[in-house]
Amino acid sequence: MAELQMVTLEELKAQMRVDFDDDDALITLYGQASEEAVRTYCRRSTAELTEENERRGGEGLPYGPRLCVLLLSAHLYRMREPVSSLQHVCVPYTYDYLLKPWVKLCSAEEV
């Protein structure tokens, strides 16, 4: 199983308020899927996100993408089915808001 790159299992469990180990493999899978979604959305690798943040004067991985991994993972953990009998609301506004500044619009090769 691939390692988490943007967040730790402990951070995921804290976001989900999980204090037991039974779901660690599942939580890790949600974290990996969320990291992949963030990288795909931004069109950047984890290293590229870190490099861009440092170029902008920050340190390490930007907070927005890290928070999005936590938010999306917790959402997937709570909502384990594709449909719900509860009110249908869209979570992505926060997700889009936090990630939009990190989206790579084009690469030098595409220009």
Side-chain angles (χ1 to χ4, degrees), residues 17-74:
R17 296 188 174 142
V18 171
D19 61 359
F20 52 88
D21 299 331
D22 297 349
D23 287 348
D24 283 4
L26 181 62
I27 291 169
T28 299
L29 180 61
Y30 288 143
Q32 292 163 333
S34 298
E35 288 180 347
E36 183 178 283
V38 166
R39 287 189 297 266
T40 300
Y41 185 94
C42 292
R43 299 184 195 108
R44 296 179 191 267
S45 67
T46 304
E48 288 174 314
L49 284 166
T50 300
E51 289 168 12
E52 179 63 20
N53 190 39
E54 290 171 354
R55 188 184 70 72
R56 296 179 187 187
E59 282 186 35
L61 194 63
Y63 296 124
R66 288 187 71 235
L67 182 56
C68 284
V69 170
L70 295 173
L71 291 171
L72 184 56
S73 298

